[in-house]
Amino acid sequence: MSILLETRGLTRILPVEPPVTLVQDANLAVKRGRFVTVIGPSGCGKSSLLYLLGLLDRPTEGALIFDGVDASGLSAEERARLRLEKIGFVFQFHFLLPEFTARENVMIPIRRLGRLTDRHGRERAMEVLESVGLSDQAEKTPDKMSGGQRQRVAIARALANDPVLLLGDEPTGNLDSVNSERVVNLFRTFAHDQGRAVICVTHDQSISAAADRRIHMLDGRIVSGD
């Protein structure tokens, strides 16, 4: 399996007085086909690292090589395009648009990317909804679905443009154990069967136990990675 994502001395310091270091000298390599969790106490920099890996934030120092491209030097427009094309995000809260159906929510990033016709975009939306077991919920709005179903719609939306990297920030934080297990199984499938890299920040022991690799953070630093 080839390396998809590599960081070299990645550091993020907030320019306040006194300066606050969120991530310090992070060196990390993640291969395709791997399911990785980032764990550690609250406030240790897990989410800050995830936002750097997902190009939502810029490092103060260091390099981030994503799919062969040094993303740390890209313009804001180039970073946004790279995120849209190759990275999917799943957060603790689903952030679905309440007035849109499940299918319409999944079609939002497809339309933003603009590679597919509307008909093919609808077909792609149905394809990813089916992959998370929700094709029968496609025409329902979020208020007509359970919490677990809404989170799986959010996962389908993250997969809409067929990303090579899927990032989760406490993606099971609002789910019961049954739905948490469903999400874990989906993430394992996306990594092992589809060749994506999946990286999740989590406090959920079931996710951590199911991962191929666990990255431990403390005080903004990566202290171990089994």
Side-chain angles (χ1 to χ4, degrees), residues 55 75-85 112:
L55 310 184
S75 68
E77 293 79 11
E78 290 169 331
R79 290 162 63 86
R81 186 69 181 181
L82 190 57
R83 284 196 304 270
L84 187 59
E85 290 179 344
R112 284 184 60 211

Side-chain angles (χ1 to χ4, degrees), residues 28-29 36 39 52 56 113 117 145 186 198 203 208 216 219 222:
L28 178 66
V36 179
I39 58 179
L52 288 170
L56 292 172
L113 187 57
T117 65
M145 292 182 284
L186 285 171
V198 179
H203 286 99
S208 184
H216 298 254
D219 297 333
I222 294 175

Side-chain angles (χ1 to χ4, degrees), residues 132-134 148-156 179 182-183 186:
V132 299
L134 289 178
Q149 288 172 330
R150 289 193 290 267
Q151 190 67 321
R152 281 188 283 155
V153 173
I155 292 171
N179 281 298
R182 285 175 177 161
V183 169
L186 285 171

Side-chain angles (χ1 to χ4, degrees), residues 33-205:
R34 300 281 279 175
F35 176 24
V36 179
T37 55
V38 182
I39 58 179
S42 296
C44 71
K46 301 186 300 295
S47 292
S48 296
L49 175 63
L50 198 75
Y51 297 156
L52 288 170
L53 299 182
L55 310 184
L56 292 172
D57 202 359
R58 284 187 178 275
T60 306
E61 300 173 8
L64 190 157
I65 312 301
F66 179 74
D67 205 15
V69 175
D70 186 353
S72 47
L74 297 179
S75 68
E77 293 79 11
E78 290 169 331
R79 290 162 63 86
R81 186 69 181 181
L82 190 57
R83 284 196 304 270
L84 187 59
E85 290 179 344
K86 296 190 175 186
I87 304 174
F89 297 90
V90 184
F91 299 98
Q92 181 174 351
F93 301 100
H94 54 75
F95 297 119
L96 300 178
L97 294 183
E99 69 275 19
F100 282 15
T101 65
R103 177 181 54 78
E104 290 167 336
N105 269 285
V106 173
M107 287 184 68
I108 292 171
I110 296 173
R111 285 173 168 152
R112 284 184 60 211
L113 187 57
R115 285 180 174 169
L116 300 179
T117 65
D118 204 54
R119 178 172 69 85
H120 287 110
R122 287 195 298 272
E123 291 173 355
R124 173 61 184 167
M126 290 303 299
E127 179 183 314
V128 291
L129 282 170
E130 183 174 1
S131 76
V132 299
L134 289 178
S135 58
D136 61 336
Q137 305 294 312
E139 301 310 318
K140 290 185 179 180
T141 50
D143 63 306
K144 301 296 193 300
M145 292 182 284
S146 69
Q149 288 172 330
R150 289 193 290 267
Q151 190 67 321
R152 281 188 283 155
V153 173
I155 292 171
R157 181 182 57 191
L159 295 172
N161 289 331
D162 197 23
V164 292
L165 175 64
L166 185 65
L167 299 176
D169 192 3
E170 299 287 359
T172 62
N174 287 322
L175 302 181
D176 59 28
S177 59
V178 172
N179 281 298
S180 292
E181 185 176 356
R182 285 175 177 161
V183 169
V184 170
N185 290 335
L186 285 171
F187 286 165
R188 287 175 62 86
T189 296
F190 300 149
H192 299 166
D193 297 346
Q194 299 177 12
R196 309 176 201 272
V198 179
I199 306 174
C200 282
V201 162
T202 186
H203 286 99
D204 189 327
Q205 292 300 314

